[in-house]
Amino acid sequence: MATPLASIPFPRRSFLKSAATAALLGGATSSRLAAASSSSPLPSELDRILTAPVLTLDFVKSPVTIASMELLRNGRTFLVRTRSTDGAEVITVPNPASMAKAYPIFTDYIAPVFVGKEARTLETLLWDVYRHSSNYKLQGLAFWVGVAAAEMGVLELLGQVSRRPLADFFGGSKRRDIPVYYASGNRGNTPEAEIEVLQKLVDGSGVRALKFRLGGRMSRNADSLPGRTEALIPLVRQTFGSAMTLYADANSSYDSTEGIRIGRIMEEHRYGFYEEPCEFDDLWGTKAVADALTIPVAGGEQEYSLHRWQWMIANRGVDIVQPDLHYGGGMIRATKVARMAAAAGMSVVPHMSGGGLGYVDVVQFASFTPNIGPFMEFKGNTTLPVTCATSSLKCEKGSVRCPAGIGCGVTLDPHFVRQAKVVVRS
């Protein structure tokens, strides 16, 4: 029987820290937290996870050759159309904002590597596309967002030809109803104005967790408004009470000293996690904050290096890993991160890229990942014309039901797809 999400803990660095934070983590008990391993995994175990296959493919009996992979555009929406030589065709949705900036990398350096290849070799193709024509020199979000777009197209194609849901390729679904938290994207409004925003977000949703933003975003300790953070942290707790799990995201606002000071205020008011306190690539500063606090520190949304993920997990640079399913190169790479975290007794709460079908990707990932956290980020429903026979795709009583069915289980309006034009470099 699948383990309920709410019973999966966010383990801390020691028994005392685990017990102190047990009440913050959406229902995890102190005994379960205390039982979680706080020791680092052996380097050899993390090496094994990085090189081990992720996908289950034994039910895809025949070769699936990729005939074409095209980028389409309808207004601000990008689509990827992937076809097989046997006539199968799927439409998937990449990250819209990132693709708008980096689409030439996808069309010129990524998609051509997949054409003519066997879809069942997808994991090998992820390495091949990295090496191809020195693509590794493009290392960064702009490259890996495109790889994620290609990967998701190939996974959907495999799902279509095998008539299997996405979760089956990752060991099978473990849960359908995914508890979510609403996240506010505001920064710079007054504490009182932000309270009104948060109340409107959660009103009638049944959510039991929410997140808001602190600091000034990559601001080197400057707040977005003087005193906003120090006033907002206690005010949100006072407004929503002890039953609401609260998270806050600093978006790289602080150095380690200031990050620790703000974290102490969050500890005082019993917050569930503290996201990205230091500049995202300051792994050592982030680790210093995590070492100093009892509140779990989360991070990694902008991380695309599996080797740096390995360092962060082996050295407990964060307590909760947050790979982005688009920024980091797709679900296969995010699953490797989750499996390394599991070996260290850590939980995973993927970052949700805004726009497109990012929230569907997140609930799919949560459906098959064993060490998933208690709540997933939800930024509201897509404006894309999609249908789903197995889910409303809405937050109902605090949860979003993961679509079942073939592939990701959602279908874009064919008329919308027909209106999209192939993106061609001039």
Side-chain angles (χ1 to χ4, degrees):
M1 186 173 65
T3 303
L5 266 71
S7 69
I8 297 175
F10 284 146
R12 279 299 297 154
R13 295 158 193 266
S14 68
F15 171 81
L16 291 177
K17 289 183 178 180
S18 296
T21 57
L24 307 182
L25 305 176
T29 64
S30 58
S31 60
R32 283 185 59 82
L33 283 164
S37 170
S38 61
S39 61
S40 296
L42 292 173
S44 59
E45 174 64 5
L46 298 187
D47 286 339
R48 184 197 65 78
I49 292 168
L50 280 182
T51 57
V54 168
L55 298 179
T56 300
L57 293 165
D58 55 358
F59 45 78
V60 187
K61 302 299 184 182
S62 301
V64 181
T65 303
I66 301 166
S68 63
M69 182 176 285
E70 299 172 296
L71 186 66
L72 313 178
R73 186 170 189 171
N74 183 342
R76 295 183 178 181
T77 300
F78 286 89
L79 308 172
V80 174
R81 180 166 60 198
T82 309
R83 291 167 166 155
S84 74
T85 55
D86 291 335
E89 177 182 309
V90 296
I91 301 293
T92 50
V93 184
N95 181 270
S98 297
M99 195 61 77
K101 299 173 183 176
Y103 73 87
I105 296 176
F106 177 82
T107 58
D108 295 5
Y109 299 100
I110 295 172
V113 179
F114 287 81
V115 175
K117 304 300 194 307
E118 223 275 72
R120 294 179 301 178
T121 67
L122 175 56
E123 293 190 65
T124 300
L125 287 171
L126 296 182
W127 178 252
D128 291 345
V129 72
Y130 183 48
R131 293 181 63 241
H132 179 79
S133 190
S134 297
N135 276 348
Y136 57 85
K137 295 181 185 295
L138 301 174
Q139 171 86 307
L141 268 65
F143 175 74
W144 287 111
V145 161
V147 174
E151 179 210 84
M152 291 177 180
V154 176
L155 286 172
E156 190 73 11
L157 188 66
L158 287 167
Q160 177 70 31
V161 299
S162 64
R163 315 303 290 174
R164 290 292 192 113
L166 177 69
D168 284 5
F169 294 93
F170 294 87
S173 178
K174 293 171 175 56
R175 56 192 71 86
R176 286 285 311 282
D177 293 314
I178 312 300
V180 298
Y181 68 84
Y182 269 102
S184 166
N186 295 307
R187 182 175 273 114
N189 55 353
T190 66
E192 294 75 17
E194 180 65 355
I195 290 296
E196 292 184 12
V197 170
L198 295 173
Q199 288 175 323
K200 289 178 182 177
L201 275 179
V202 304
D203 185 41
S205 69
V207 297
R208 295 177 287 120
L210 60 87
K211 185 174 78 177
F212 59 92
R213 293 184 176 182
L214 305 176
R217 189 181 185 92
M218 294 289 288
S219 60
R220 295 183 171 176
N221 297 332
D223 209 343
S224 59
L225 287 178
R228 177 182 185 271
T229 291
E230 290 89 336
L232 187 55
I233 292 170
L235 184 59
V236 175
R237 173 56 72 199
Q238 177 185 343
T239 302
F240 290 94
S242 60
M244 183 71 79
T245 296
L246 301 180
Y247 307 137
D249 186 357
N251 289 116
S252 297
S253 290
Y254 309 121
D255 61 20
S256 58
T257 300
E258 182 69 357
I260 291 169
R261 185 184 76 83
I262 297 298
R264 298 286 190 214
I265 302 173
M266 295 174 68
E267 286 178 343
E268 179 184 353
H269 295 282
R270 298 174 59 78
Y271 275 63
F273 69 61
Y274 182 13
E275 184 172 339
E276 202 176 89
C278 301
E279 292 182 25
F280 63 87
D281 55 348
D282 183 2
L283 308 185
W284 306 270
T286 302
K287 175 174 166 53
V289 174
D291 285 343
L293 299 176
T294 56
I295 183 175
V297 170
E301 71 178 70
Q302 296 171 103
E303 185 55 73
Y304 49 79
S305 167
L306 289 177
H307 292 300
R308 280 203 297 267
W309 270 121
Q310 186 176 14
W311 185 94
M312 291 165 66
I313 291 166
N315 293 279
R316 202 58 178 251
V318 293
D319 302 300
I320 300 161
V321 300
Q322 292 185 296
D324 187 287
L325 303 177
H326 291 265
Y327 300 162
M331 291 199 178
I332 292 171
R333 288 164 60 85
T335 297
K336 288 179 181 286
V337 174
R339 290 179 181 179
M340 286 194 292
M346 299 163 67
S347 294
V348 55
V349 177
H351 175 258
M352 181 195 155
S353 300
L357 293 178
Y359 72 102
V360 176
D361 300 327
V362 166
V363 297
Q364 285 283 358
F365 185 80
S367 77
F368 60 71
T369 301
N371 58 318
I372 204 72
F375 303 102
M376 297 297 101
E377 187 168 6
F378 185 66
K379 294 178 179 176
N381 291 90
T382 181
T383 57
L384 291 176
V386 296
T387 57
C388 179
T390 59
S391 170
S392 69
L393 303 179
K394 297 178 181 179
C395 176
E396 297 174 327
K397 298 181 179 179
S399 296
V400 175
R401 170 150 283 211
C402 181
I406 296 168
C408 279
V410 300
T411 302
L412 275 161
D413 179 5
H415 178 68
F416 182 84
V417 175
R418 286 194 298 270
Q419 289 180 316
K421 305 299 183 184
V422 177
V423 176
V424 179
R425 292 291 309 285
S426 59

